[in-house]
Amino acid sequence: MTSDAGRATSFLEVWRPGGVEVVLLAGPSMTIGRDEGNGVVLDHDGQVSSLHAVLQSYGASWAIRDLGSTNGTVVAGERLIAERALRHGDAIQVGATRMVFRGAAGRAAPTTAPRKPPELTRRERDVLLALCRPLFSGAVFTEPATARAVAAELVVSEAAVKQHLLRLYDKFELDPASTRRRVELANAALQRGAVTPADLT
């Protein structure tokens, strides 16, 4: 019973051209691909293979494995080379499609309203948009923009961008010890609505 309850509250946020779709994860496994027979059908994305990846249930936990897809699968900025356990909040890139895993332990139910974004200055919002833009570029294996790339887009110094990023890390309450705060900031900005797909496409 515990594992079924755990599965019921694990889900994917699938970022489609028309907005975010919530897909509940259920059963022992769920496939991702372009064909209609998959549990998560991504027929809008030509970079996704017919049968691209599989999500595997282990009690209340889930793992993901690439199924020899043409363009690969990226989790938290790293290309999959073997099955990988998913953690709550992991960003998954399949073709040009972004998904976010929400685990049972991380959130009670998909109906829980996300926290509102913090108040941002106009420049902080510009930095967030530039940071997140590569995630919706359609390129494979994308990560958020570097401080240097953000500085080039906004025509400001890299030092100024880093100062804005430090304030944004603080406003979004990210762990100062993390080595992947840019990725975490981009995820938090998208999850909490500070940046939307419509802003970036």
Side-chain angles (χ1 to χ4, degrees), residues 6-7 9-14 23-32 40 53-66 73-94 98-107 187:
R7 289 185 198 134
T9 55
S10 294
F11 62 99
L12 285 180
E13 292 173 359
V14 182
V23 179
L24 291 175
L25 300 180
S29 65
M30 185 175 287
T31 56
I32 301 168
V40 182
V54 63
L55 294 156
Q56 189 74 44
S57 170
Y58 294 97
S61 301
W62 287 83
I64 187 168
R65 184 172 74 254
D66 187 84
T73 302
V74 174
V75 178
E78 297 176 6
R79 184 170 182 168
L80 288 184
I81 55 173
E83 185 171 85
R84 172 174 174 148
L86 289 169
R87 296 184 302 173
H88 176 73
D90 272 349
I92 304 166
Q93 189 84 18
V94 175
R98 173 186 170 82
M99 298 178 283
V100 180
F101 173 74
R102 302 293 180 200
R107 189 158 151 183
N187 283 335

Side-chain angles (χ1 to χ4, degrees), residues 3 21 30 46 49 52 60 66 69 93 112 115 137 141 143 160 170 172 179 181:
S3 62
E21 176 191 0
M30 185 175 287
S49 296
H52 196 106
D66 187 84
S69 65
Q93 189 84 18
T112 304
R115 293 171 60 198
S137 66
F141 312 141
E143 279 214 5
D170 189 50
F172 281 88
T179 58
R181 283 194 295 177

Side-chain angles (χ1 to χ4, degrees), residues 32-57:
I32 301 168
R34 210 169 59 247
D35 282 357
E36 287 293 325
N38 289 290
V40 182
V41 179
L42 302 176
D43 52 4
H44 66 281
D45 188 343
Q47 295 183 32
V48 172
S49 296
S50 298
L51 183 62
H52 196 106
V54 63
L55 294 156
Q56 189 74 44
S57 170

